[in-house]
Amino acid sequence: METVPAQADLYQCPVVESRTVGAYHLIAFVAGEIAAVARPGQFVMIRQSGPALDPLLPRPMGIHAVEADLVKVLVEPVGKGTVVLTDARVGDRYSVLGPLGNGFDLSGEGTAVIVGGGVGMAPLALLAGTLAGRGRDVRCQLGFKTRVQAVAAELFRDVDVDICTEDGTMGRKAMVSELLVECLTDLGPAAAEAELFVCGPGAMMRAAVETAREYGADAQVSVAAHMACGVGACQGCVVRAGGEYRCACNQGPVFRAGELEWR
Amino acid sequence: METVPAQADLYQCPVVESRTVGAYHLIAFVAGEIAAVARPGQFVMIRQSGPALDPLLPRPMGIHAVEADLVKVLVEPVGKGTVVLTDARVGDRYSVLGPLGNGFDLSGEGTAVIVGGGVGMAPLALLAGTLAGRGRDVRCQLGFKTRVQAVAAELFRDVDVDICTEDGTMGRKAMVSELLVECLTDLGPAAAEAELFVCGPGAMMRAAVETAREYGADAQVSVAAHMACGVGACQGCVVRAGGEYRCACNQGPVFRAGELEWR
Amino acid sequence: MAVNMESSLGPLRLRHPVINASGTFDVLAADRVLAADLFTDFPFAAYVPKTVTLKPREGNPPHRLYETAAGLLNSIGLANKGIEAFIADDLPRLGRLPVPLIASIAAEETNGYGRCAGLLDGRDEVAALELNISCPNVELDGKALGCDPFLTASATAQARAATGKFLIVKLTPNVTDILVLARAAVEAGADCLSVINTVHGMALDPWTLRPALGHVTGGLSGPAIKPVALRAVYLISRELDVPVIGMGGVTSANDVLEFLAAGATAVAVGTACFRDPLLAVSLVQELEHQMELRDIATPGELVGRAH
Amino acid sequence: MAVNMESSLGPLRLRHPVINASGTFDVLAADRVLAADLFTDFPFAAYVPKTVTLKPREGNPPHRLYETAAGLLNSIGLANKGIEAFIADDLPRLGRLPVPLIASIAAEETNGYGRCAGLLDGRDEVAALELNISCPNVELDGKALGCDPFLTASATAQARAATGKFLIVKLTPNVTDILVLARAAVEAGADCLSVINTVHGMALDPWTLRPALGHVTGGLSGPAIKPVALRAVYLISRELDVPVIGMGGVTSANDVLEFLAAGATAVAVGTACFRDPLLAVSLVQELEHQMELRDIATPGELVGRAH
Ligand SMILES: Cc1cc2nc3c(=O)[nH]c(=O)nc-3n(C[C@H](O)[C@H](O)[C@H](O)COP(=O)(O)OP(=O)(O)OC[C@H]3O[C@@H](n4cnc5c(N)ncnc54)[C@H](O)[C@@H]3O)c2cc1C
Ligand SMILES: Cc1cc2nc3c(=O)[nH]c(=O)nc-3n(C[C@H](O)[C@H](O)[C@H](O)COP(=O)(O)OP(=O)(O)OC[C@H]3O[C@@H](n4cnc5c(N)ncnc54)[C@H](O)[C@@H]3O)c2cc1C
Ligand SMILES: Cc1cc2nc3c(=O)[nH]c(=O)nc-3n(C[C@H](O)[C@H](O)[C@H](O)COP(=O)(O)O)c2cc1C
Ligand SMILES: Cc1cc2nc3c(=O)[nH]c(=O)nc-3n(C[C@H](O)[C@H](O)[C@H](O)COP(=O)(O)O)c2cc1C
Ligand code: FES
Ligand code: FES
């Protein structure tokens, strides 16, 4: 984890792009210091500036893309905090703190099997591009409820992506776990050397990890947790891992599947 | 007082103009039903739409101008609620409830002496135009701290305005009460038939009313009060008048100087 | 799925579970200002007028209001015309409302509750009585009656003796253990509890650095206190068998669902009425829509689901 | 006008009146993440680490956090490594901070306060002790120790007997009359009071309609509770002679001025640190600027101005 700039006003980043991508909303910030060091799987804490105190706290958002001095995030408006983020207009200044968290471990060499569910695909796009850029064999499966979400798969630029939706309105009509089984089967004996990178809803992540185990593949998962500070100060964002509570913000959000205890 | 439309979504009015006027901010809304019936001295309760709950309540703003189906207000950003209002952008929808309050009594016939202090000038612009349109003799005095506020006097279109600032950076270097004394002296015996219309900071209104009394002139003053509902429901906006507490929202905001008890 | 929004609160039949909170919606004043015909299209399922007291009260000096973060401080001080004028002037008009009327009463001494209840007992317009024992601005020996279990029981018992009508006691959250107060009221004869009144608070004007309210301290309401209210409703409704009217910071249909799930049988909207005097119209529509989406057939089905 | 920001809190010399609130700023964690060199440029005038207890505590199950309107509910449950590990691992590093260290301790029984205080009494790194008797998550017979004047006095007396250091007792607002608790602490030997800890509350997840926190109820902090905190500081500092550390919802320099005017000698920033871990830097700058504008020569000049 790199360190975050020290001066509060350095967090104030201008919005240069803000647009709807299907059910999600893409926002690009000028944030050169973050862009310079961000790694796949890290996140930022984002908050609108101004005197209003509701929403009160920043929201954690995975780093979706990095281009020159731009940092991009992809927001699914699910509640007050995320709905307000989608109001971002070019020229607005947002507080953007990061990069935070450990990010994915990219040192493996086997086939990288990327498995995303819903907006969990956001940080996986940066991961896929980075791994492909390093010449690693990358397979991508993304699952969505329906078409309006699935169109965001177009944001995966550098790699081929297999898409499925629960209602069949885009890509295969399937759960992403079915695509995963096919992918691992297809890899044959190489499946045991493969490594999964998973981000999505809890049930989907659990199913993917279970499947990985069956095929003898490793898995790294990026977990979600309610966060307040993002820097390890509040002890609020714990998940059960390695027999203890660990903070998703500074001991995660990426964990090895083997150490996580699912609730 | 006219009645306010019954359907909640009728209060949602699009912003069609939003710009800085010196220290103040002018916002124009499409609000045909309000524009059709608004009278000088009435006000609206304005609030940004959206899921955020801070600021919580609408803010009372005097109706500054009415043009066709547009209603305009002039906001001085003094605290959270008013600062947030100045964020208005063309296309935003604001909740605009009104017209509320009694407005000025326009039935008098003597010279109308309009006395405004600071942003208190906002509702007086509509008043001045209306009275002048009816052919009444109108004299306008506006006082400000300094030039950046005084430039808003340009918004008085239909009448001549005497301007003063405390620091002399625009118009005369004087308090508006000095201008008022000159004006009433100038009117000679007609001063006793004159009627003052006053809106501004408390001390300034008190001084104006005192001067009016000395010259035997009537005065109507538009008072400020902290409001929550604007419709007489909360009993929060009381001022002392006629020996009792009266609600500024539905028994005011305009009172006869004689009935007000200054604190 | 068809949703049936009807609810009942003891003997009161409600068209839906949303009512107004005392002191925050004045149907007589609003009817003059709003074009809506409130007497035929009344948005709430019951109407609770502002609390009245034996004698008229002129209330506290201004400022009486101050907005805080997602909240509102007030120190109205129970300004009201007194119960006699209420009965003479307002009751006949309020009787024309198409919904049950819940009269709210308060007194400076416990036996005043008995007298007020007695004066309203014979009035057909009144479907139920709510005892406001929790207003932080009316104090006995410097303390609100509703902070003391003894005085709470005594006020409730006196009102109970004076009326056979459905009796609601409205609790204050400004106590160490609200369950103790809730039990005291129920054991003394309350049929129902309103939970909660405002939370003690204070603000300073940031410019003058003097108290912002004329009365110095006041009662905090609005979304800021919703967590305090939900906890109180949850704890009380889990322990006691009487219906609870939940309130404190409701601004949306989701808030209503949360209060029902926490254990409330009906939910009151207070401060949010100041954001929009006709909020209840859209809120109730949205509530029905949400219930449909979530496959909830009746409000009753949801009551206490979070327990 | 030149502003002198120095403040004193009993024997503690503070560079300015703004400190952090326990459990909301972790200098050791932040120093790893932020590029700022917190050990030379520490933004607060004193440092209060998270509360430690005799035994390590793993804390409550997730979710431990839930945002509410202008507020934050937490049920961390005093997760900490225990006082021995704190003394062995953290104290030597915290001793390098350029500001006084105020250690915060809690215990599940009153005599635990004496033992914790005793263990820290000999440590030069520690300038003062704060007794957290008010955490709503540590309960004695289902009730926080700080809700009971007797237990409050007993915990304070035991700590007093075990240490000569400046002794701060941190009060809970979840009581009928906070003055009673304040007096109990001061009479038992507290040198200073921290006012306030979090307010009891609860939230439901709007989708599942189940309790949002793993622990069901939690403590509310942030701007939502500022009016509650200001009132408590005002009431206590008017009546008692000990210095008060004010806290609850501070997010801006104006908030600090308000707490000083209400009677606080120092002001702590908690939840707002989560909006921006380096908020204190800009806040203290703005505070100095505001004091200049308003002709306030020292923070002390302002203390209690609203009384
Ligand atoms: C490391 C990390 C990376 C994330 N990356 C993304 C991303 O790239 N794009 C994206 O759209 N979302 C992402 N999220 C999730 C996002 O932060 C939450 O959806 C958001 O905080 C919800 O806030 P809200 O105010 O809109 O929702 P609320 O109204 O507060 O709640 C809506 C739902 O979100 C849950 N929730 C509430 N607060 C949080 C919180 N602080 N963290 C997680 N869930 C919460 C609630 O339990 C509820 O189910 C990420 C979360 C984490 C921890
Ligand atoms: C009938 C009426 C007409 C008005 N017309 C205008 C207008 O045309 N243009 C304009 O700029 N202002 C007008 N005001 C004043 C304006 O409503 C207040 O300045 C505004 O409410 C302050 O809100 P805030 O959140 O910005 O300030 P806060 O941060 O809440 O407070 C800043 C200052 O404003 C005072 N204040 C706070 N709330 C209110 C309130 N509800 N009403 C009045 N003062 C308050 C506070 O005591 C403080 O001194 C009018 C007020 C009334 C009652
Ligand atoms: C301006 C105002 C006046 C109030 N007057 C009364 C009253 O007269 N009687 C009463 O029982 N409660 C009164 N209340 C309390 C409300 O009925 C309600 O219990 C409280 O405000 C919490 O709900 P809310 O957050 O939805 O406003 C008043 C509240 C406000 C804000
Ligand atoms: C996440 C969190 C953890 C906290 N942990 C502690 C603690 O360990 N000890 C303590 O005395 N107070 C603790 N508090 C309370 C704060 O120190 C403070 O009293 C309270 O939050 C009010 O201040 P605020 O509104 O500025 O946050 C905690 C608060 C929060 C939000
Ligand atoms: S979010 Fe605060 S410790 Fe992780
Ligand atoms: S603002 Fe509510 S009665 Fe006037």
Side-chain angles (χ1 to χ4, degrees):
Chain A
M1 185 161 45
E2 308 292 328
T3 58
V4 172
Q7 278 307 307
D9 39 351
L10 285 187
Y11 312 153
Q12 296 302 319
C13 298
V15 172
V16 292
E17 185 182 358
S18 177
R19 67 183 169 94
T20 294
V21 181
Y24 308 137
H25 197 92
L26 183 108
I27 313 177
F29 301 94
V30 179
E33 311 219 8
I34 300 174
V37 297
R39 294 191 319 269
Q42 290 190 300
F43 67 97
V44 287
M45 297 288 284
I46 301 186
R47 176 170 65 78
Q48 218 172 356
S49 308
L53 295 169
D54 181 53
L56 181 64
L57 299 177
R59 294 294 186 269
M61 289 290 142
I63 297 177
H64 165 63
V66 169
E67 285 166 23
D69 61 349
L70 300 188
V71 167
K72 299 187 179 183
V73 297
L74 191 67
V75 181
E76 179 178 31
V78 296
K80 176 156 55 185
T82 44
V83 167
V84 166
L85 285 178
T86 66
D87 278 346
R89 282 179 265 196
V90 172
D92 284 357
R93 283 175 173 268
Y94 276 59
S95 159
V96 184
L97 179 73
L100 300 169
N102 55 3
F104 291 105
D105 175 357
L106 308 186
S107 65
E109 295 187 343
T111 299
V113 180
I114 293 181
V115 189
V119 81
M121 61 153 269
L124 298 177
L126 179 61
L127 174 72
T130 306
L131 290 177
R134 295 185 177 189
R136 192 149 160 201
D137 181 30
V138 176
R139 314 278 171 106
C140 266
Q141 283 105 38
L142 302 180
F144 298 93
K145 279 232 169 62
T146 183
R147 181 183 177 83
V148 63
Q149 286 139 4
V151 294
E154 76 185 28
L155 297 169
F156 275 65
R157 296 260 160 73
D158 316 303
V159 295
D160 288 337
V161 181
D162 282 338
I163 297 172
C164 61
T165 50
E166 290 178 27
D167 62 1
T169 47
M170 192 167 158
R172 291 260 301 278
K173 181 171 198 277
M175 302 296 279
V176 72
S177 49
E178 302 170 44
L179 266 56
L180 174 61
V181 169
E182 289 172 25
C183 170
L184 290 175
T185 309
D186 191 54
L187 281 177
E193 260 72 67
E195 192 177 18
L196 266 67
F197 297 86
V198 191
C199 187
M204 171 250 149
M205 294 207 287
R206 216 170 316 179
V209 165
E210 181 60 22
T211 306
R213 214 183 41 73
E214 283 163 18
Y215 285 79
D218 265 353
Q220 300 182 36
V221 297
S222 177
V223 303
H226 293 197
M227 292 186 176
C229 69
V231 298
C234 73
Q235 314 245 20
C237 61
V238 293
V239 294
R240 198 85 203 161
E244 57 180 13
Y245 286 128
R246 295 205 188 136
C247 288
C249 68
N250 66 352
Q251 299 173 282
V254 178
F255 292 90
R256 294 273 161 196
E259 54 184 359
L260 272 184
E261 292 161 48
W262 303 95
R263 280 194 298 164
Chain B
M1 185 162 42
E2 308 293 329
T3 58
V4 172
Q7 279 306 308
D9 39 350
L10 285 186
Y11 312 153
Q12 296 301 317
C13 299
V15 172
V16 292
E17 184 182 359
S18 177
R19 66 184 170 92
T20 293
V21 181
Y24 308 136
H25 197 92
L26 183 109
I27 313 177
F29 302 94
V30 179
E33 312 220 9
I34 299 175
V37 298
R39 294 194 317 270
Q42 289 190 300
F43 67 96
V44 287
M45 296 288 284
I46 302 188
R47 173 171 68 78
Q48 218 171 356
S49 307
L53 295 168
D54 182 53
L56 181 63
L57 298 178
R59 293 295 187 271
M61 288 291 142
I63 297 177
H64 165 63
V66 169
E67 285 166 24
D69 61 348
L70 300 187
V71 169
K72 300 187 180 183
V73 298
L74 192 66
V75 181
E76 179 178 31
V78 295
K80 177 157 53 185
T82 44
V83 167
V84 167
L85 285 178
T86 65
D87 278 347
R89 280 179 265 197
V90 172
D92 284 356
R93 284 176 173 270
Y94 275 60
S95 159
V96 184
L97 178 74
L100 300 169
N102 55 3
F104 291 104
D105 175 358
L106 308 185
S107 64
E109 296 186 339
T111 298
V113 180
I114 293 180
V115 190
V119 80
M121 61 153 269
L124 298 176
L126 178 61
L127 174 73
T130 306
L131 290 177
R134 296 186 176 190
R136 192 150 160 199
D137 180 32
V138 177
R139 314 280 171 102
C140 265
Q141 284 105 41
L142 302 180
F144 300 93
K145 280 234 170 60
T146 182
R147 182 183 176 84
V148 62
Q149 286 138 3
V151 292
E154 76 185 26
L155 297 169
F156 275 64
R157 296 261 160 73
D158 317 301
V159 294
D160 289 336
V161 181
D162 282 339
I163 298 172
C164 61
T165 50
E166 290 178 28
D167 61 3
T169 47
M170 191 169 159
R172 292 258 304 274
K173 180 171 197 281
M175 303 296 278
V176 72
S177 48
E178 302 170 44
L179 265 56
L180 174 61
V181 169
E182 290 171 25
C183 169
L184 290 175
T185 310
D186 190 53
L187 281 177
E193 260 71 68
E195 191 177 20
L196 266 68
F197 297 86
V198 191
C199 187
M204 170 252 151
M205 294 208 286
R206 216 169 316 180
V209 165
E210 181 60 24
T211 306
R213 214 182 40 72
E214 285 164 16
Y215 285 80
D218 266 353
Q220 300 181 36
V221 298
S222 178
V223 303
H226 293 198
M227 292 186 177
C229 69
V231 298
C234 72
Q235 314 245 21
C237 61
V238 293
V239 294
R240 198 87 204 159
E244 56 181 14
Y245 286 129
R246 295 206 187 136
C247 287
C249 68
N250 65 351
Q251 300 174 282
V254 178
F255 293 88
R256 293 273 160 196
E259 54 185 0
L260 272 183
E261 293 162 49
W262 305 94
R263 280 191 301 163
Chain C
M1 192 184 65
V3 171
N4 178 351
M5 297 281 281
E6 283 170 35
S7 305
S8 46
L9 190 66
L12 277 58
R13 297 282 152 266
L14 306 181
R15 284 204 310 258
H16 56 70
V18 183
I19 73 173
N20 74 296
S22 178
T24 62
F25 188 83
D26 184 330
V27 66
L28 301 175
D31 193 55
R32 279 194 298 274
V33 178
L34 304 174
D37 184 355
L38 291 174
F39 279 85
T40 50
D41 275 342
F42 192 71
F44 295 103
Y47 179 57
V48 191
K50 180 154 184 76
T51 300
V52 290
T53 51
L54 276 179
K55 299 253 167 60
R57 289 173 56 97
E58 76 169 358
N60 287 326
H63 301 307
R64 291 181 175 180
L65 296 171
Y66 200 77
E67 188 174 317
T68 64
L72 174 67
L73 272 173
N74 89 78
S75 61
I76 308 296
L78 282 192
N80 79 95
K81 54 170 74 163
I83 195 163
E84 279 170 28
F86 172 75
I87 291 174
D89 304 346
D90 295 357
L91 257 197
R93 288 189 286 165
L94 297 178
R96 287 172 30 227
L97 282 171
V99 299
L101 181 68
I102 303 176
S104 170
I105 56 179
E108 277 137 41
E109 307 157 280
T110 52
N111 66 13
Y113 285 90
R115 291 176 57 201
C116 283
L119 287 171
L120 292 170
D121 184 53
R123 300 297 306 220
D124 288 343
E125 298 95 334
V126 176
L129 289 179
E130 180 170 271
L131 308 190
N132 176 5
I133 56 164
S134 43
C135 178
N137 304 311
V138 183
E139 312 199 302
L140 274 169
D141 304 338
K143 184 170 158 186
L145 189 136
C147 290
D148 185 304
F150 252 138
L151 297 178
T152 296
S154 153
T156 308
Q158 305 216 14
R160 177 75 295 166
T163 183
K165 291 197 196 278
F166 191 62
L167 189 63
I168 306 164
V169 174
K170 183 162 177 179
L171 301 178
T172 171
N174 301 303
V175 294
T176 307
D177 187 352
I178 198 168
L179 255 176
V180 171
L181 284 300
R183 280 208 194 89
V186 170
E187 282 163 14
D191 298 315
C192 175
L193 299 170
S194 268
V195 178
I196 57 174
N197 212 314
T198 56
V199 174
H200 280 326
M202 166 174 185
L204 300 190
D205 186 293
W207 301 112
T208 63
L209 297 175
R210 299 286 313 160
L213 297 176
H215 190 65
V216 181
T217 64
L220 183 65
S221 63
I225 67 165
K226 194 183 113 186
V228 176
L230 271 177
R231 174 178 176 274
V233 168
Y234 179 86
L235 293 181
I236 291 171
S237 63
R238 251 194 348 183
E239 291 293 320
L240 300 180
D241 262 345
V242 297
V244 167
I245 306 175
M247 71 194 77
V250 173
T251 65
S252 71
N254 274 354
D255 291 340
V256 174
L257 295 176
E258 293 174 24
F259 272 92
L260 293 172
T265 298
V267 179
V269 183
T271 302
C273 296
F274 304 150
R275 281 164 68 82
D276 174 355
L278 292 174
L279 174 71
V281 177
S282 49
L283 187 149
V284 171
Q285 275 167 12
E286 175 65 16
L287 180 63
E288 183 161 2
H289 178 60
Q290 283 294 327
M291 288 173 57
E292 238 169 78
L293 279 181
R294 295 161 181 243
D295 266 339
I296 304 165
T298 65
E301 200 179 287
L302 209 54
V303 175
R305 184 178 280 191
H307 288 174
Chain D
M1 193 185 64
V3 171
N4 179 351
M5 297 281 282
E6 282 169 37
S7 303
S8 45
L9 190 65
L12 279 57
R13 297 280 153 268
L14 307 182
R15 282 204 310 256
H16 56 70
V18 182
I19 73 173
N20 74 296
S22 178
T24 62
F25 188 83
D26 183 332
V27 67
L28 301 175
D31 194 54
R32 278 193 300 274
V33 178
L34 304 174
D37 183 355
L38 291 175
F39 278 86
T40 50
D41 273 342
F42 192 72
F44 295 103
Y47 179 58
V48 191
K50 180 153 185 75
T51 301
V52 290
T53 51
L54 274 179
K55 299 253 166 59
R57 290 172 56 97
E58 76 169 357
N60 287 326
H63 300 309
R64 291 182 174 179
L65 296 170
Y66 200 78
E67 188 174 318
T68 63
L72 174 67
L73 271 174
N74 89 78
S75 60
I76 308 298
L78 282 190
N80 79 95
K81 55 170 75 163
I83 195 162
E84 279 170 27
F86 172 76
I87 291 174
D89 303 347
D90 296 356
L91 257 196
R93 287 190 288 165
L94 297 179
R96 286 173 31 226
L97 282 171
V99 299
L101 181 68
I102 303 176
S104 169
I105 55 179
E108 278 136 42
E109 308 156 281
T110 51
N111 67 14
Y113 284 90
R115 290 176 56 202
C116 283
L119 287 171
L120 293 171
D121 185 52
R123 300 297 307 221
D124 287 343
E125 299 95 335
V126 176
L129 289 179
E130 180 171 270
L131 309 190
N132 175 5
I133 55 163
S134 43
C135 178
N137 304 310
V138 184
E139 312 198 300
L140 273 169
D141 306 336
K143 181 170 156 186
L145 191 135
C147 290
D148 185 305
F150 213 62
L151 297 176
T152 295
S154 155
T156 306
Q158 304 216 15
R160 178 74 296 165
T163 183
K165 291 196 193 280
F166 191 61
L167 188 62
I168 306 165
V169 173
K170 183 163 176 178
L171 302 179
T172 172
N174 302 301
V175 294
T176 306
D177 187 352
I178 198 168
L179 255 176
V180 171
L181 285 299
R183 279 206 195 89
V186 170
E187 282 163 15
D191 298 315
C192 175
L193 299 170
S194 268
V195 180
I196 58 173
N197 211 314
T198 56
V199 174
H200 280 326
M202 165 175 187
L204 300 190
D205 185 293
W207 301 110
T208 63
L209 297 175
R210 301 284 315 157
L213 297 176
H215 190 66
V216 182
T217 63
L220 183 65
S221 64
I225 68 165
K226 194 182 113 187
V228 176
L230 272 177
R231 175 178 175 274
V233 168
Y234 180 87
L235 294 181
I236 292 171
S237 64
R238 252 192 347 182
E239 290 293 320
L240 300 180
D241 262 345
V242 298
V244 167
I245 306 175
M247 70 193 77
V250 173
T251 65
S252 70
N254 273 355
D255 291 339
V256 174
L257 296 176
E258 292 174 25
F259 272 93
L260 293 173
T265 298
V267 179
V269 183
T271 302
C273 295
F274 305 152
R275 281 164 68 83
D276 173 355
L278 292 175
L279 175 71
V281 177
S282 48
L283 187 149
V284 171
Q285 274 167 11
E286 175 65 17
L287 180 63
E288 183 161 1
H289 178 61
Q290 282 295 327
M291 288 172 56
E292 238 170 78
L293 280 182
R294 295 161 181 244
D295 266 338
I296 303 165
T298 66
E301 199 179 289
L302 209 52
V303 175
R305 185 178 280 193
H307 288 175

